[in-house]
């Protein structure tokens, strides 16, 4: 059988990484997105916007989600990243592999040598830019499905459910011309975020072991810390992205709150102050280390077997 190319190994291992990320991190991601896009404070039954209940914090959101949707409610929208991981996570690590090979070739850096910080920054930014065009539609469908609420959440007994499932959501977005809603915010998040993510992972690994041999403990530590660095750096723009992508999910432009990314920034600050940019931060950071540790372990393990 013909040996796999380096790019094919990146793609296949990237698929494994995506699956591990969803299995470990999706429930907390659901809480993060719901907190980012809901009103703040009060009871979910008594207060909230026309389309979303209000949650006072992570544990209130968790309790209401399980009460109204059951435990599987924490996996709302999971079909989007599970399907999308074959494409998005593959693209992410394919882009990272191609970017690192490009900078090595351009600066004549041998494969066995560790990349300097300058080249890691450039490769990370290239990766974030390329992957955003895939992640934005996947995240859009995921966020819309995660923020659907049945009648139990509201005192008026009216459900806020607009999509029957992933296929209906995706086709509706395509017909409405909204498939790339939130792309500018995704680029603003992913270009610096991917730079910090991959650079911190590689630098920690370089400190502890050689590129040819990375113990599982090193991968877990570096992956977990890379996740913390990523989310700690870009969380405010992730709030903006989530708000834009779930804005007026049930209608067209006539009911949208935000004209563009800058307007969303301004509105969040005007209504909620700086605290508005950090809603959902607790579940995000609880998720960051174990989720990304498992992701990199899956990637490195599968790639090592190929």
């Amino acid at each position: 059988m013909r040996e796999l190319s380096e790019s094919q190994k990146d793609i296949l291992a990237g698929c494994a990484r995506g699956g591990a990320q969803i299995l470990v991190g999706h429930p907390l991601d659901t809480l993060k997105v719901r907190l980012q896009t809901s009103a703040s404070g009060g009871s979910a039954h008594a207060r909230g916007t026309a389309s979303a209940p209000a949650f006072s914090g992570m544990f209130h959101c968790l309790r209401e989600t399980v009460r109204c949707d059951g435990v599987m409610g924490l996996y709302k929208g999971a079909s989007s990243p599970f399907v999308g991981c074959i494409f998005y996570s593959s693209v992410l690590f394919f882009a990272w592999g191609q970017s690192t090979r490009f900078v090595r070739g351009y600066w004549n850096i041998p494969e066995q040598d560790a990349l300097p910080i300058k080249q890691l920054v450039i490769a990370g930014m290239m990766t974030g830019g390329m992957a955003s065009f895939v992640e934005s539609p996947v995240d859009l469908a995921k966020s819309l499905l995660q923020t659907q609420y049945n009648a139990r959440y509201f005192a008026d007994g009216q459900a806020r459910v607009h999509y029957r499932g992933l296929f209906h959501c995706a086709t509706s977005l395509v017909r409405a011309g909204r498939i790339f809603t939130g792309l500018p915010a995704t680029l603003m998040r992913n270009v610096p975020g991917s730079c910090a993510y991959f650079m911190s992972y590689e630098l920690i690994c370089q400190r502890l072991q050689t590129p040819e041999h990375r113990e599982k403990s090193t991968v877990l530590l570096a992956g977990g810390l890379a996740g913390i660095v990523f989310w700690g750096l870009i969380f405010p723009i992730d709030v903006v992205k989530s708000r834009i992508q779930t804005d007026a999910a049930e209608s067209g432009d006539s009911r949208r709150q935000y004209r563009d990314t800058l307007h969303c920034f301004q509105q969040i600050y005007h209504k909620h102050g700086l605290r508005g940019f950090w809603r959902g931060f607790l579940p995000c950071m609880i998720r960051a280390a174990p989720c990304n540790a498992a992701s990199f372990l899956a990637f490195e393990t599968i790639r090592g077997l190929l």
Side-chain angles (χ1 to χ4, degrees):
M1 187 172 68
R2 184 172 62 88
E3 185 177 350
L4 294 173
S5 68
E6 294 300 305
S7 297
Q8 290 170 329
K9 292 178 182 178
D10 291 337
I11 290 170
L12 292 173
C15 287
R17 176 259 184 191
Q21 187 173 44
I22 299 307
L23 287 172
V24 175
H26 194 78
L28 284 166
D29 184 69
T30 296
L31 299 182
K32 172 184 77 75
V33 173
R34 286 187 161 197
L35 286 167
Q36 286 177 331
T37 57
S38 74
S40 59
S43 165
H45 286 274
R47 299 173 64 182
T49 66
S51 60
F55 300 115
S56 59
M58 183 183 77
F59 293 107
H60 182 215
C61 183
L62 173 63
R63 184 173 65 250
E64 289 299 302
T65 298
V66 173
R67 185 185 67 81
C68 297
D69 282 313
V71 174
M72 291 309 295
L74 296 170
Y75 281 90
K76 276 182 175 287
S79 56
S80 172
F82 263 125
V83 173
C85 87
I86 298 174
F87 197 30
Y88 160 63
S89 201
S90 297
V91 167
L92 179 67
F93 279 83
F94 171 77
W96 172 245
Q98 293 297 106
S99 298
T100 55
R101 284 187 278 276
F102 169 79
V103 297
R104 285 185 184 280
Y106 189 84
W107 277 279
N108 296 313
I109 303 171
E111 189 68 32
Q112 66 273 17
D113 291 355
L115 286 175
I117 291 178
K118 175 184 175 181
Q119 282 70 31
L120 286 172
V121 168
I122 293 170
M125 293 178 69
M126 291 171 62
T127 299
M130 288 185 281
S132 293
F133 288 90
V134 175
E135 184 177 14
S136 184
V138 171
D139 250 9
L140 173 61
K142 174 184 72 68
S143 297
L144 289 172
L145 293 171
Q146 284 175 318
T147 52
Q148 296 199 121
Y149 301 95
N150 63 44
R152 295 188 187 94
Y153 286 92
F154 299 95
D156 62 11
Q158 297 294 314
R160 276 66 165 176
V161 177
H162 314 293
Y163 305 109
R164 296 187 297 272
L166 174 60
F167 182 76
H168 181 226
C169 181
T171 54
S172 298
L173 290 170
V174 171
R175 284 198 300 269
R178 288 190 57 201
I179 197 67
F180 284 108
T181 297
L183 177 60
T186 304
L187 284 164
M188 290 173 65
R189 183 192 75 167
N190 281 7
V191 171
S194 292
C195 170
Y197 185 61
F198 285 106
M199 182 174 67
S200 58
Y201 176 76
E202 289 295 329
L203 290 177
I204 293 168
C205 286
Q206 288 174 20
R207 277 284 193 177
L208 299 177
Q209 289 181 319
T210 63
E212 294 83 11
H213 180 72
R214 290 177 177 175
E215 295 285 351
K216 290 181 180 179
S217 58
T218 299
V219 172
L220 288 169
L221 176 62
L225 291 175
I228 291 172
V229 169
F230 176 83
W231 286 108
L233 175 67
I234 57 79
F235 192 82
I237 186 61
D238 187 67
V239 173
V240 173
K241 180 190 73 69
S242 294
R243 288 267 182 171
I244 290 172
Q245 289 186 324
T246 58
D247 183 21
E250 75 282 2
S251 61
D253 290 342
S254 61
R255 292 186 59 185
R256 294 180 69 79
Q257 298 181 67
Y258 311 118
R259 294 190 300 270
D260 50 38
T261 304
L262 178 60
H263 185 239
C264 185
F265 264 111
Q266 293 170 337
Q267 289 299 303
I268 293 173
Y269 182 75
H270 176 72
K271 293 178 181 179
H272 307 289
L274 291 175
R275 292 184 64 181
F277 294 102
W278 298 97
R279 281 187 60 78
F281 187 65
L282 179 58
C284 179
M285 295 310 288
I286 293 173
R287 168 184 178 267
C291 180
N292 288 282
S295 298
F296 272 106
L297 180 62
F299 176 81
E300 296 284 6
T301 301
I302 297 302
R303 206 184 188 292
L305 295 174
L306 295 174

